[in-house]
Amino acid sequence: MREMDFSRCPILGNLGNERVGKLLAGAKFSVETFEKGDMVAMQGSPCKHLYILLSGSVKTEMTAENGGLMTIENIPAVRPLASAFLFAEQNTFPVDVTALETCKILMIPRDEVIKMFQKDGLFLENYIKFNSNKAQFLSRRLQVLNIKTIKGKLAHYILESMDNVRSADPKAASFTMDKNQTELAKFFGVTRPALARCIAELEDEGTIELERKVVKVKNLQALRNLLG
Amino acid sequence: MREMDFSRCPILGNLGNERVGKLLAGAKFSVETFEKGDMVAMQGSPCKHLYILLSGSVKTEMTAENGGLMTIENIPAVRPLASAFLFAEQNTFPVDVTALETCKILMIPRDEVIKMFQKDGLFLENYIKFNSNKAQFLSRRLQVLNIKTIKGKLAHYILESMDNVRSADPKAASFTMDKNQTELAKFFGVTRPALARCIAELEDEGTIELERKVVKVKNLQALRNLLG
DNA sequence: TCAGTAGTGTAACAAATAATACACATTTAT
DNA sequence: ATAAATGTGTATTATTTGTTACACTACTGA
């Protein structure tokens, strides 16, 4: 217990480590270690525990039935994994979860989680809120995936990233991508050369400039036009 | 209250109408009526109440930023609407909700819902479980949308429908679609002529036969091959 | 019965993307 | 420093899908 720090955990952080300690004191749980590249969970396998990533980071990937990959998320510690699915009727992992580095994961059985809800109302509130946000995230992914053209997806991705940057620096016109081109192609569910071509086209049109992971927006309005 | 029957509601049904009556007795709520075609909620508008569809049915549609529609679900009474988003940080409707016929909708403010959680543990459990299922649903939609080809989507849709039919009649080889061709095209997020062409191709190949909404599967293995 | 509306089959052409291949740059590990 | 692995730019061809248009059928209400 001593080595666990929950302060940055979205469903346990605001309780404080002491209160979390009490909450876990009477509960059954285990901590497992995974090395880089290990599968933490497989798409379709049953999800009977609440997983809390204590240290390290993981990657979640959804495999389409035709074999094509689509990266969903990279998740750094401290965060719950698949919390939204723990109580579903068909409670299976919707994604493959792979360790990106050495990871420690706290695993709490379903029934214990229910007891913890009863013990601490704030934990319950956090859990519901976190799952609500999770549903929002999935819903947004649906919207993005529904954008048909690669240029459209790219424009949406850039504009969204710009908004995040601008809330810190309102007059910023560039940002650094969190993914390389290959990862971005997976994220969009398209081939890498097709993405490269679209980037080249946007550069030729003078809409953006791209150097490594740094994107400069030269013509914001042109980007917006690609959406509607 | 008298005219409300919750017995088929997934989050209130197993409480019994009497217990639900008690639960609502001290609570603030309202009941609104919508006529066919009325917008119940717009994509992006704030979601501050738990909506429970008491009678009638609604359609939920997600609008892509490029304007293309993608039908998500037709929802019959009695069911909660957008319950998964009520407690999200950015608690906005992810879809447009339109009445398909005259609807009565029970609206309970967020804070009242929290009080109801505290009053009745079973209601809370139901709510969490329902939202878990909701997340599963969204996750599945993501998987389907991630299938790239129309033939693949179609094969997936047919195989899934067949599985549902077969659990009733294991040797069945045909089923009736719940959507017409135009609706199916929207559901897949593709154009109607493109879908018609794919159907014609599958018929030419001798994989299926389609007459109105009745699908006969002639070659199950060929369908499966379209997925992987 | 008839007109109007919605749904379907089909075709020709344009646009977007996948598939594949290869050269070159950059990073990483030894 | 160097080899190996990873990431990027680009081109060609084949598929798939969108776009648009039109004829035809089935249903619906007056």
Side-chain angles (χ1 to χ4, degrees), chain B residues 148-150 190-191 193-194 197-198 212:
Chain B
K148 285 292 147 37
T149 63
I150 299 181
V190 303
T191 58
R197 180 175 32 204
C198 286
R212 306 296 187 98

Side-chain angles (χ1 to χ4, degrees), chain A residues 97-141:
Chain A
V97 182
T98 315
L100 289 173
E101 53 192 304
T102 302
C103 292
K104 282 193 188 304
I105 298 185
L106 171 64
M107 300 173 78
I108 310 172
R110 225 180 87 115
D111 292 345
E112 294 293 334
V113 177
I114 292 178
K115 285 186 201 163
M116 287 164 66
F117 286 159
Q118 292 163 343
K119 267 198 197 170
D120 198 316
L122 184 53
F123 171 61
L124 169 64
E125 257 186 64
N126 291 340
Y127 192 87
I128 289 179
K129 191 171 179 181
F130 185 75
N131 282 355
S132 261
N133 287 336
K134 209 63 194 144
Q136 277 278 356
F137 172 81
L138 287 173
S139 181
R140 281 187 58 75
R141 281 310 309 262

